Amino acid sequence: MVKKIAIVVTDRQEEALRMSIGLTLADDEVDDYFLDQKLNKNKDNDLNIETGKELGVGLYSTCEQSDDLQQISPQVMAGELLKYDHIPVSYTHLTLPTTIELCRSRGWPGR
């Protein structure tokens, strides 16, 4: 059964674009929604955008964009997201601490 998957991109654009391409391997319908940001122009993103378009990945943004992303309003985006089966979000704010100082501030036993 084909699933509809929307990826909401808030950070780590390259990873989100790679993930969306990988999700098409199961023949699922995949669309990327860039929330309040423009597409970073670089070699990796250009390749992933081109590959995603060939695989039918929809590319949308709530910001003014180049030809790569279709601009939509936040209200339209909210309505569209209701139509999907799964909505993973690309984010970084839950990254675990990676320095001793941060670990110690959270009750690390070597304190």
Side-chain angles (χ1 to χ4, degrees):
M1 183 169 120
V2 174
K3 297 179 193 128
K4 286 188 66 155
I5 303 170
I7 299 174
V8 178
V9 183
T10 61
D11 199 1
R12 297 162 57 177
Q13 293 179 355
E14 292 86 358
E15 182 179 335
L17 290 167
R18 278 192 307 272
M19 183 174 71
S20 63
I21 290 168
L23 289 170
T24 64
L25 297 175
D27 292 328
D28 292 327
E29 182 180 326
V30 181
D31 294 318
D32 291 339
Y33 289 87
F34 289 76
L35 183 61
D36 298 329
Q37 61 180 300
K38 294 184 177 185
L39 180 64
N40 296 332
K41 294 303 265 179
N42 60 50
K43 187 176 80 173
D44 289 336
N45 277 354
D46 289 345
L47 177 62
N48 289 328
I49 292 290
E50 180 181 335
T51 304
K53 284 182 176 182
E54 290 176 9
L55 295 171
V57 175
L59 301 165
Y60 307 93
S61 176
T62 57
C63 288
E64 289 186 28
Q65 284 293 319
S66 64
D67 295 332
D68 293 325
L69 306 179
Q70 180 180 341
Q71 183 181 356
I72 59 173
S73 70
Q75 294 81 8
V76 169
M77 181 178 144
E80 289 297 313
L81 291 177
L82 295 174
K83 301 174 185 177
Y84 290 88
D85 300 313
H86 302 283
I87 307 173
V89 178
S90 170
Y91 57 84
T92 58
H93 69 277
L94 292 179
T95 303
L96 295 173
T98 56
T99 63
I100 295 297
E101 292 78 23
L102 286 174
C103 292
R104 287 182 181 161
S105 70
R106 295 176 192 243
W108 182 61
R111 193 172 191 179

